[in-house]
Amino acid sequence: MENQEQLDKFSAYVQQELKIEAKDWMPEQYRKTLVRQMAQHAHSEVVGMLPEANWITRAPTLKRKAILLAKVQDEGGHGLYLYSAVETLGVERDDLVNDLNHGIAKYSSIFNYPTLSWSDIGAVGWLVDGAAIVNQVSLQRTSYGPYSRAMIRICKEESFHQRQGYVIMMKMAQGSAEQKKMAQDSLNRWWWPSLMMFGPSDKDSTHSQQNMAWRIKRHSNDELRQKFIDMTVPQAEYLGLTIPDPDLKWNAEKGQYDWGEIDWDEFWNVVKGNGMCNKERVAARKKASDDGAWVREAATAYANKRKTSKVA
Ligand code: FAQ
């Protein structure tokens, strides 16, 4: 049972920048919202391994292959921290993974786009990890303790990911004319989907208002998107590449960039499961789960055997 007094006390507590921990009282809607957002976040990390894993066997050098392997493995680790953090809210990881494998759960729209060339791996690191960091740095101050702590750890690793992507872009942009063309093509294809990662515009965001009040979210979708644009445009200029937005221009009065309109039809189409790779991504996750069933069964049998022999 929740009453107004409890809700007010809870709000006052989070307003003081105090963290809510797993065993603390929380409104049911706060718990549900966290389960939703954190599970979507965990799924994004895990599905996010797929577009980059696609290039591990084709990385141009052994060094690049080793770096990419480490990066993809980090994303898997982020998924695991996040699933553990969601479990503190009383849900079972198996149920969450089951929802993902059956196409019921959401994950970030960005991972439904294909990686067509090596420079796409640069663009993913630079733009996708770059956008992820902007969002996750803000979430380090989220009001739920286990989520906040997971974000602190994850941001450290994301920062390396973003740099490795930018180094690939530099190499391509400063390479042959053909390489520079590939880098520009990657920027053209990944720019707008990266902006979509921040979610719908504030006026269309269902959860923002309540989540900001509960300090789950610390900045709105549009604020974070603007921050990412302002940070990334000079990086593109340094590379000598052009952001594919004819309306992009510096607004001296506001001290930020003005930019064009996102194709929201494309965004919602991808979110609803009809993007280029949605079906392929879910099928890949389901196959990984099915193929790994024997490992889980063997581990469970081994754990049970040890338990019985200890008792004996
Ligand atoms: N894609 O009311 P809002 C990474 C949904 S980073 C798909 O604004 P909210 C690292 C939203 O869920 C990527 N769906 O929602 C990496 C809601 O649907 P629902 C993951 C989206 O939660 C890098 C509806 O639209 N990062 O993985 C998207 O307040 C490279 C209404 O939206 C996170 O998840 C979208 N882009 O704000 C890994 C960060 N945007 O549930 C590998 C944590 C919105 O009502 C390689 N999440 N929707 O049916 C958040 O900060 C928030 O959840 C937002 C959305 C900002 C994503």
Side-chain angles (χ1 to χ4, degrees):
M1 291 295 282
E2 289 174 8
N3 59 44
Q4 198 54 45
E5 195 187 334
Q6 274 176 313
L7 292 171
D8 292 345
K9 214 166 135 193
F10 180 84
S11 289
Y13 189 81
V14 292
Q15 300 304 319
Q16 289 173 63
E17 295 295 327
L18 296 168
K19 298 280 182 238
I20 304 297
E21 296 298 338
K23 289 184 178 167
D24 293 345
W25 183 87
M26 61 186 85
E28 182 53 18
Q29 198 50 38
Y30 177 88
R31 195 189 67 82
K32 278 196 177 142
T33 286
L34 277 171
V35 169
R36 179 191 66 81
Q37 177 169 325
M38 291 164 70
Q40 287 176 2
H41 197 162
H43 298 326
S44 302
E45 300 282 356
V46 170
V47 177
M49 295 165 80
L50 296 168
E52 288 175 289
N54 180 36
W55 278 88
I56 290 172
T57 54
R58 291 174 288 165
T61 64
L62 185 58
K63 184 177 158 194
R64 282 282 140 212
K65 190 197 284 272
I67 294 171
L68 186 58
L69 263 173
K71 198 256 186 212
V72 171
Q73 193 173 328
D74 280 356
E75 307 298 0
H78 297 173
L80 298 185
Y81 301 151
L82 283 163
Y83 284 128
S84 299
V86 198
E87 283 186 310
T88 64
L89 292 158
V91 287
E92 293 291 332
R93 182 186 307 211
D94 283 352
D95 294 337
L96 302 174
V97 172
N98 205 36
D99 284 352
L100 175 66
N101 292 346
H102 289 89
I104 300 164
K106 284 199 170 82
Y107 56 85
S108 183
S109 50
I110 192 73
F111 302 117
N112 294 307
Y113 291 84
T115 41
L116 304 177
S117 67
W118 174 250
S119 64
D120 279 9
I121 298 304
V124 168
W126 172 36
L127 301 173
V128 176
D129 284 277
I133 294 173
V134 169
N135 174 282
Q136 292 173 160
V137 163
S138 169
L139 286 172
Q140 288 178 341
R141 291 173 53 241
T142 191
S143 55
Y144 188 55
Y147 194 20
S148 160
R149 290 189 288 276
M151 287 297 107
I152 293 168
R153 172 84 186 265
I154 287 174
C155 279
K156 292 201 172 99
E157 292 175 354
E158 295 292 22
S159 153
F160 150 68
H161 297 168
Q162 198 264 353
R163 282 157 207 228
Q164 68 85 35
Y166 196 68
V167 168
I168 295 175
M169 290 308 277
M170 269 204 288
K171 197 91 184 159
M172 300 295 286
Q174 293 163 3
S176 65
E178 202 183 340
Q179 283 173 313
K180 186 166 182 185
K181 206 165 146 233
M182 278 169 80
Q184 182 62 55
D185 176 55
S186 298
L187 173 56
N188 292 349
R189 283 181 291 106
W190 289 91
W191 176 251
W192 290 104
S194 299
L195 298 190
M196 293 174 195
M197 285 175 73
F198 295 94
S201 65
D202 293 350
K203 65 175 173 29
D204 297 320
S205 166
T206 0
H207 306 289
S208 281
Q209 204 183 356
Q210 180 62 75
N211 290 1
M212 300 269 286
W214 275 332
R215 305 214 167 180
I216 293 174
K217 265 168 118 162
R218 305 308 309 254
H219 296 95
S220 77
N221 298 358
D222 287 336
E223 280 167 358
L224 293 177
R225 193 169 6 246
Q226 184 69 48
K227 197 172 162 68
F228 172 72
I229 293 169
D230 294 341
M231 181 185 100
T232 310
V233 174
Q235 295 171 355
E237 280 167 3
Y238 181 79
L239 293 174
L241 300 178
T242 309
I243 303 253
D245 178 357
D247 296 325
L248 185 79
K249 64 171 188 307
W250 178 248
N251 183 328
E253 216 169 282
K254 287 190 182 160
Q256 63 184 41
Y257 283 92
D258 290 337
W259 45 282
E261 188 60 28
I262 288 175
D263 182 346
W264 292 115
D265 289 342
E266 175 180 326
F267 170 74
W268 289 116
N269 196 42
V270 177
V271 171
K272 284 180 189 145
N274 305 317
M276 269 184 271
C277 301
N278 295 61
K279 291 187 180 60
E280 185 185 325
R281 299 295 187 232
V282 172
R285 285 312 315 159
K286 178 150 190 334
K287 181 172 184 315
S289 222
D290 292 348
D291 290 353
W294 71 271
V295 179
R296 293 190 297 278
E297 280 160 24
T300 312
Y302 181 67
N304 286 341
K305 198 171 147 192
R306 275 179 65 102
K307 219 186 321 175
T308 347
S309 66
K310 251 189 209 157
V311 171

